[in-house]
Short mmCIF file of all heavy atoms in Angstrom, two decimals:
data_model
loop_
_atom_site.label_atom_id
_atom_site.label_comp_id
_atom_site.label_asym_id
_atom_site.label_seq_id
_atom_site.Cartn_x
_atom_site.Cartn_y
_atom_site.Cartn_z
N GLN A 274 13.38 9.57 -33.56
CA GLN A 274 14.17 8.35 -33.68
C GLN A 274 15.12 8.21 -32.51
O GLN A 274 15.50 9.17 -31.88
CB GLN A 274 14.97 8.38 -34.98
CG GLN A 274 14.08 8.33 -36.20
CD GLN A 274 14.90 8.40 -37.47
OE1 GLN A 274 16.09 8.63 -37.44
NE2 GLN A 274 14.26 8.17 -38.59
N SER A 308 19.89 14.63 -26.94
CA SER A 308 19.68 13.30 -26.35
C SER A 308 20.02 13.32 -24.86
O SER A 308 20.79 14.16 -24.40
CB SER A 308 20.51 12.24 -27.07
OG SER A 308 21.89 12.47 -26.85
N ARG A 327 21.85 24.54 -30.06
CA ARG A 327 21.73 25.22 -31.35
C ARG A 327 22.45 26.55 -31.20
O ARG A 327 21.98 27.44 -30.51
CB ARG A 327 20.28 25.43 -31.76
CG ARG A 327 20.16 26.12 -33.13
CD ARG A 327 18.76 26.40 -33.54
NE ARG A 327 18.22 27.42 -32.63
CZ ARG A 327 16.93 27.63 -32.45
NH1 ARG A 327 16.04 26.91 -33.08
NH2 ARG A 327 16.53 28.57 -31.61
N GLU A 387 10.45 29.35 -16.35
CA GLU A 387 11.89 29.52 -16.22
C GLU A 387 12.22 30.83 -15.52
O GLU A 387 11.32 31.57 -15.12
CB GLU A 387 12.57 29.40 -17.59
CG GLU A 387 11.97 30.28 -18.68
CD GLU A 387 12.70 31.58 -18.85
OE1 GLU A 387 13.82 31.58 -19.35
OE2 GLU A 387 12.14 32.61 -18.45
N TYR A 394 9.20 24.11 -22.32
CA TYR A 394 8.72 22.75 -22.50
C TYR A 394 9.96 21.85 -22.62
O TYR A 394 10.51 21.69 -23.70
CB TYR A 394 7.84 22.61 -23.73
CG TYR A 394 6.56 23.40 -23.67
CD1 TYR A 394 6.15 24.17 -24.75
CD2 TYR A 394 5.77 23.38 -22.54
CE1 TYR A 394 4.97 24.90 -24.70
CE2 TYR A 394 4.58 24.10 -22.48
CZ TYR A 394 4.20 24.86 -23.56
OH TYR A 394 3.02 25.57 -23.51
#
Side-chain angles (χ1 to χ4, degrees):
Q274 294 179 351
S308 67
R327 181 182 67 200
E387 51 96 71
Y394 296 134

